Amino acid sequence: MSVQERKQRERAERERLIVATARELAEQKGWDAVTTRLLAERIEYSQPVLYSHFRGKREIIGAVALEGAVEMAVAVRAAAAAADGPRGRVAALARAYLEFAARNPAVYDALFQLDGGLAFADEETPQPLKDAFAALLESLGEVAGDGVDPGLFTEVFWASLHGLATLTRAGRLLPEDAAQRVRLLVDRLAKV
């Protein structure tokens, strides 16, 4: 291995460590606790080393969001693939989405609540975000209904899921009604 390759590998490992540590801190203490000073301390590198990878917290949030988008797409696709029929796929997708949001609140915030400097619904949208949307579209597009744009339907369904995830986490919805909400969403929106 050349010196150049070794340095690139070490740089990539440091970057993964920064992102993993930021994510861990955010999940434990919330994003307000994630500072470049604390991150540098935790990863045992100086702040200038951290800044050589990311210009600041915003870019770190963006990196966590991209990682989370990949994980969410995998979870949604796996759930949909394990279900039978269009209705089953949509219900499984909805449950997987809501479970992902509940299990990974800091990652979910990085994806959809915080400014990570990422473009959504734009030509500049990073591929992991496009792929996460595509994971939803794959199952939702088939139940959009006649004359309904599958992408637009996916946006509306996704917005509904986001609302449920956000309101549930904020304690605004009774947790015991979660399954009934998913059934209602699937029954009323999905044309199966």
Side-chain angles (χ1 to χ4, degrees):
M1 173 181 300
S2 73
V3 172
Q4 176 83 9
E5 290 170 329
R6 181 181 54 79
K7 286 184 179 186
Q8 287 175 340
R9 188 188 75 225
E10 288 171 356
R11 181 173 176 73
E13 287 172 8
R14 271 194 313 272
E15 197 165 296
R16 279 191 296 276
L17 178 61
I18 293 166
V19 172
T21 304
R23 182 176 175 167
E24 180 183 316
L25 274 170
E27 292 292 1
Q28 291 171 354
K29 300 180 180 186
W31 279 105
D32 287 342
V34 179
T35 64
T36 53
R37 182 180 186 153
L38 182 57
L39 276 175
E41 197 176 287
R42 287 273 177 106
I43 65 171
E44 298 179 347
Y45 284 100
S46 67
Q47 280 183 292
V49 169
L50 195 141
Y51 282 116
S52 74
H53 290 274
F54 300 98
R55 287 182 289 205
K57 184 175 175 177
R58 181 179 186 221
E59 284 189 4
I60 294 168
I61 290 169
V64 170
L66 292 176
E67 189 176 270
V70 170
E71 293 170 12
M72 188 176 74
V74 167
V76 165
R77 282 189 174 113
D84 290 327
R87 186 182 196 295
R89 283 190 288 280
V90 172
L93 171 149
R95 286 190 300 273
Y97 182 97
L98 295 170
E99 288 168 9
F100 178 87
R103 274 193 327 270
N104 305 284
V107 172
Y108 193 81
D109 285 350
L111 268 164
F112 303 119
Q113 304 288 93
L114 302 173
D115 179 9
L118 304 173
F120 282 80
D122 188 89
E123 288 181 19
E124 301 298 316
T125 301
Q127 192 57 46
L129 298 179
K130 289 178 181 179
D131 190 52
F133 185 78
L136 298 174
L137 180 63
E138 289 162 11
S139 291
L140 294 169
E142 68 180 325
V143 297
D146 293 337
V148 177
D149 176 79
L152 187 60
F153 177 78
T154 300
E155 290 173 350
V156 171
F157 200 94
W158 170 31
S160 299
L161 290 173
H162 176 69
L164 290 174
T166 303
L167 291 170
T168 299
R169 185 164 146 210
R172 304 293 197 268
L173 302 175
L174 295 172
E176 59 268 18
D177 293 334
Q180 189 174 345
R181 282 187 206 96
V182 169
R183 276 193 306 276
L184 184 61
L185 183 63
V186 173
D187 289 346
R188 298 294 184 206
L189 285 183
K191 300 297 179 190
V192 191

